[in-house]
């Protein structure tokens, strides 16, 4: 990746794999420092402060080569595998969080079937050539870049970071094996003095780890074989809830779980929602729990044609029964009483592309529920190519140009009422391209179709066509904050990798890397395409009646941070968990920032 392009410098499918051997040395402590001299005490309220950052944890000597000792690395170069601050929760003054390693490699392998090893100046994905894959031949290539996650507690008053990983590893062989076989700590929540951190295991199950938030002690771990993924927790009316999926990567169906545990039994749950798709994020709005969902399995995405009915697993917003009805909170008798109040087919005119949408962050703000879409880069394109194989390169080019989407953002109120429910498109398109396989005498053709909506505030992606994930929404200090992923820094290399995997030409690889400007109604012409600004974006709504303002559009101090993966609040203060998979960017002496997850504080006033 060439940093000179910068404007203003400004899982995974999982299989049953047990008993993986040790693969990494004990890591050095994560780093912590202000972003600049003003980041210390007395800084301007809106100055972001870097509280902690992943440190290099491995030495890399080339694809397929043994890992030299270190770091420090006498041979090879330092590599930082821990890329996402994935799950985070605040209990009093302490932030509890866990990480995910090489998530970009794992996602590219699962979602795009990219398994060809690649290395560039920014990252390496070894897939089946990694030493981990060679030591564990039962591990599929898409998981070759797996490394165990790390667990941390950060005291916001003393600015102290404490790694908890070794507590888990030392507790028992079972605990150590569960951590070793966890793909990443994707979810975190706390209630009743217990912090729960967990994520998908390297099998169709979930691993959870529990800590005492009063003492910091480790309470144990548990494998939940019924579920295949877990993404978020929320607290509603005195109870803790979690959203999960069933099957590999949660792709079969979903549930909402209510925590029924305690410090002595931290892993007790009851099912309070049965959903046709896995639960993504969840929040409380007007006395109910609302959930966004991810679509079904990859096989289901690629299977249906345009003539098929909308699948029940399509990404949607679901609403619970009232929390005040019957017994307090949600209970097993409520499991089949949830209602779908919106799905992506009400916006997206192409039924195959619609099946590749997912939904992400949501929040209650100013009397409305807000939510946004998520789009794995090039996923809709690969699904469409599989569903309607193009006859030539020109048709392939058309599919590429017409299937990529930037995020769309919505709000709604009065859900469940046929006469009063209202959903507004805030950022999106009035028209989008859709494919008609019967056009041209059965040869097929693309044409613009109405979304039947006019965006209230602006174009898709908040005006940035590379914004592909609405990753998280939170309310703090009277504002609604929205954190996104911006994949522009990955685009060129990822486009070529995907083209090679699909057997497409390098020219089509360049087309895969193009943001979807031309497809969006009202978007600038190609000649007016703005220069990419690298790094995830953070926006804020100060009122339901005003458009969002840009708080930061370049990774909050590090343009290699391609997304704001997580946010938790403390009054008007935000704590941001950043995603940064640039695992070879570890040289503090060059003119490029470093890779690896970051924990950032953004005080009120932003």
């Amino acid at each position: 990746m060439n940093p000179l392009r910068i404007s203003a410098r400004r899982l995974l499918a999982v299989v049953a794999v047990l008993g993986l051997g040790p693969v990494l040395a004990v890591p050095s402590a994560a780093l912590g420092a202000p972003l600049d001299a003003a980041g210390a005490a007395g800084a301007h309220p809106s100055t972001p402060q870097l509280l902690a950052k992943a440190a290099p944890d491995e030495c890399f000597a080339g694809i397929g080569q043994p890992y030299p000792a270190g770091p420090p690395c006498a041979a090879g170069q330092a590599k930082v595998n821990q890329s996402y601050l994935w799950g985070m929760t605040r209990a009093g003054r302490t932030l509890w969080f866990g990480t995910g390693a090489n998530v970009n490699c794992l996602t590219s392998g699962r979602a795009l079937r990219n398994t060809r090893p690649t290395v560039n100046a920014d990252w390496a994905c070894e897939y089946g050539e990694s030493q981990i894959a060679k030591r564990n031949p039962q591990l599929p290539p898409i998981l070759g870049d797996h490394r165990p996650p790390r667990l941390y507690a950060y005291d916001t008053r003393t600015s102290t970071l404490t790694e908890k990983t070794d507590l888990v590893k030392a507790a028992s062989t079972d605990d150590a094996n569960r951590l070793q076989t966890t793909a990443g700590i994707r979810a975190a929540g706390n209630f009743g003095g217990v912090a729960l951190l967990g994520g998908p295991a390297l099998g169709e199950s979930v691993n959870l780890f529990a800590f005492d938030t009063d003492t910091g002690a480790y309470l144990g771990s548990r494998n939940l074989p019924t579920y295949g993924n877990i993404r978020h927790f929320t607290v509603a009316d005195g109870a803790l809830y979690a959203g999960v999926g069933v099957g590999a990567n949660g792709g079969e169906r979903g549930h909402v779980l209510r925590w029924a545990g305690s410090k002595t039994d931290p892993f007790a749950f009851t099912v309070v929602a049965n959903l046709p798709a896995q639960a993504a994020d969840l929040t409380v709005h007007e006395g109910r729990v609302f959930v966004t969902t991810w679509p079904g399995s990859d096989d289901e995405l690629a299977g249906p044609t345009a003539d098929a009915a909308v699948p029940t697993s399509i990404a949607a917003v679901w609403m619970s029964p009232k929390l005040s009805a019957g017994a307090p909170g949600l209970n097993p008798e409520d499991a089949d009483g949830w209602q779908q109040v919106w799905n992506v087919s009400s916006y997206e005119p192409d039924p195959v592309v619609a099946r590749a949408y997912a939904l992400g962050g949501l929040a209650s703000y100013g009397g409305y529920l807000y939510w946004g879409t998520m789009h794995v880069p090039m996923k809709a394109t690969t699904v469409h190519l599989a569903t309607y194989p193009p006859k030539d390169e020109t048709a392939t080019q058309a599919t590429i140009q017409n299937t990529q989407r930037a995020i769309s953002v919505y709000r709604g109120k009065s859900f469940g009422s046929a006469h009063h429910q209202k959903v507004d498109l805030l950022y999106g398109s009035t028209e989008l391209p859709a494919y008609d396989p019967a056009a041209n005498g059965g040869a097929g053709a693309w044409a613009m179709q109405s979304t039947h909506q006019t965006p209230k505030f602006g174009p898709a992606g908040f005006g940035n066509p590379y914004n592909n994930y609405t990753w998280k929404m939170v309310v703090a200090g009277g504002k609604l904050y929205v954190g996104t992923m911006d994949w522009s820094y990955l685009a060129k290399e990822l486009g070529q990798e995907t083209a090679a995997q699909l057997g497409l030409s390098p020219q089509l690889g360049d087309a895969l890397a193009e943001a979807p400007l031309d497809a969006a109604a009202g978007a600038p012409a190609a000649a007016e395409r703005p220069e990419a600004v690298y790094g995830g974006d953070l926006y804020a709504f100060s009122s339901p009646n005003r458009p969002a303002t840009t708080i930061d559009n370049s990774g909050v101090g590090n343009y290699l941070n391609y997304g704001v993966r997580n946010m938790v609040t403390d009054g008007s203060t935000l704590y941001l968990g950043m995603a940064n998979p640039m695992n070879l960017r570890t040289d503090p002496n060059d003119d490029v920032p470093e890779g690896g997850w970051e924990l950032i504080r953004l005080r009120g006033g932003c």
Side-chain angles (χ1 to χ4, degrees):
M1 185 68 63
N2 181 2
L4 296 179
R5 286 195 285 154
I6 298 152
S7 173
R9 183 174 175 95
R10 317 188 296 86
L11 162 165
L12 50 150
V14 287
V15 297
V17 178
L18 300 175
L20 293 178
V23 296
L24 295 179
V26 177
S28 56
L31 305 176
L35 289 175
D36 52 37
H44 187 275
S46 62
T47 299
Q49 183 181 6
L50 180 63
L51 303 179
K53 180 170 179 58
D57 52 18
E58 194 172 270
C59 298
F60 177 74
I63 296 291
Q65 298 302 309
Y67 306 132
C73 303
Q77 67 181 106
K79 184 183 178 202
V80 55
N81 290 296
Q82 302 298 322
S83 58
Y84 280 28
L85 196 162
W86 218 354
M88 178 166 58
T89 184
R90 183 180 66 84
R93 70 183 192 182
T94 302
L95 304 175
W96 293 85
F97 64 90
T99 67
N102 298 322
V103 180
N104 182 46
C105 302
L106 303 181
T107 300
S108 183
R110 182 192 66 81
L112 301 178
R113 301 293 190 243
N114 287 344
T115 57
R116 296 188 180 192
T118 183
V119 61
N120 55 57
D122 295 293
W123 73 84
C125 293
E126 295 188 271
Y127 299 115
E129 294 300 312
S130 75
Q131 295 299 302
I132 284 75
K134 291 178 179 179
R135 294 172 192 166
N136 301 277
Q138 71 273 50
L139 199 69
I142 60 173
L143 296 181
D145 294 282
H146 164 73
R147 305 290 190 275
R150 309 276 172 77
L151 305 172
Y152 296 93
Y154 183 86
D155 189 313
T156 61
R157 294 186 186 175
T158 64
S159 300
T160 303
L161 180 72
T162 303
E163 183 162 3
K164 298 290 186 176
T165 309
D166 285 344
L167 286 180
V168 178
K169 293 163 68 174
S172 73
T173 300
D174 286 343
D175 289 278
N177 284 340
R178 288 187 189 116
L179 186 64
Q180 185 78 17
T181 57
T182 300
I185 303 300
R186 197 170 209 163
N190 78 91
F191 193 75
V194 176
L196 294 167
L197 297 94
L202 300 182
E204 296 181 11
S205 62
V206 164
N207 288 331
L208 287 180
F209 305 88
F211 294 86
D212 187 322
T213 60
D214 297 315
T215 67
Y218 176 56
L219 299 176
S221 67
R222 181 74 53 86
N223 176 260
L224 305 181
T226 305
Y227 312 112
N229 208 346
I230 184 169
R231 293 180 181 273
H232 288 282
F233 288 85
T234 195
V235 174
D237 284 11
L240 178 68
Y241 299 92
V244 299
V246 176
N249 200 41
E252 293 181 9
R253 62 187 184 278
H255 298 289
V256 174
L257 309 180
R258 178 173 175 171
W259 188 61
S262 64
K263 290 185 179 182
T264 56
D265 181 17
F267 305 109
F269 294 90
T270 57
V271 174
V272 297
N274 297 318
L275 303 172
Q278 66 175 303
D281 210 343
L282 59 171
T283 197
V284 185
H285 175 68
E286 295 184 338
R288 302 175 188 263
V289 173
F290 284 77
V291 173
T292 52
T293 64
W294 274 63
S297 67
D298 289 350
D299 290 340
E300 182 183 26
L301 291 181
T305 65
D307 297 326
V310 175
T312 57
S313 63
I314 196 168
V317 178
W318 289 80
M319 178 180 73
S320 78
K322 281 191 171 293
L323 295 170
S324 59
L330 298 175
N331 299 281
E333 59 266 27
D334 298 311
D336 293 319
W338 290 62
Q339 179 182 355
Q340 185 187 115
V341 295
W342 184 88
N343 70 60
V344 299
S345 68
S346 66
Y347 170 75
E348 173 57 57
D350 186 278
V352 177
V353 174
R355 291 181 174 95
Y357 276 59
L359 295 181
L362 77 170
S364 179
Y365 177 67
Y368 291 90
L369 180 73
Y370 287 69
W371 69 94
T373 62
M374 301 182 75
H375 309 269
V376 175
M378 307 175 201
K379 179 64 176 177
T381 302
T382 59
V383 170
H384 220 289
L385 290 172
T387 305
Y388 296 113
K391 295 179 175 58
D392 53 35
E393 185 156 318
T394 300
T396 302
Q397 178 92 19
T399 297
I400 291 170
Q401 290 177 339
N402 287 293
T403 51
Q404 304 222 46
R405 301 289 188 262
I407 60 173
S408 44
V409 180
Y410 311 82
R411 71 179 185 196
K413 63 180 180 179
S414 302
F415 291 101
S417 170
H419 300 292
H420 300 291
Q421 177 170 316
K422 178 178 173 57
V423 173
D424 298 318
L425 174 66
L426 303 182
Y427 291 89
S429 299
T430 58
E431 292 182 311
L432 288 169
Y435 184 72
D436 180 0
N440 291 336
W446 291 90
M448 298 301 290
Q449 290 190 18
S450 175
T451 64
H452 306 291
Q453 296 170 81
T454 300
K456 185 177 179 65
F457 293 137
F462 292 97
N464 174 5
Y466 282 103
N467 269 330
N468 64 302
Y469 280 4
T470 312
W471 238 338
K472 191 64 178 175
M473 295 185 178
V474 296
V475 177
K479 297 179 181 180
L480 170 64
Y481 292 89
V482 182
T484 75
M485 175 184 169
D486 174 336
W487 68 285
S488 59
Y489 196 80
L490 303 177
K492 183 174 177 59
E493 282 77 8
L494 190 59
Q496 292 300 327
E497 291 172 21
T498 304
Q501 185 71 25
L502 296 173
L504 305 178
S505 68
Q507 291 75 20
L508 290 177
D510 290 338
L512 281 165
E514 290 288 333
L517 273 177
D518 298 335
E528 301 174 49
R529 185 183 301 276
E531 186 179 4
V533 178
Y534 299 139
D537 300 352
L538 180 64
Y539 302 92
F541 291 91
S542 61
S543 163
N545 301 317
R546 298 176 182 173
T549 57
T550 302
I551 303 301
D552 187 277
N553 66 351
S554 55
V556 196
N558 181 343
Y559 62 79
L560 299 187
N561 291 335
Y562 69 12
V564 183
R565 177 60 184 86
N566 231 305
M567 293 190 284
V568 300
T569 65
D570 185 0
S572 61
T573 297
L574 291 176
Y575 292 95
L576 312 179
M578 308 301 289
N580 181 337
M582 311 307 167
N583 55 27
L584 297 184
R585 287 298 186 186
T586 57
D587 184 353
N589 299 313
D590 63 16
D591 64 348
V592 179
E594 279 64 69
W597 62 262
E598 295 184 354
L599 174 64
I600 295 172
R601 177 162 53 203
L602 202 58
R603 297 190 185 276
C606 57

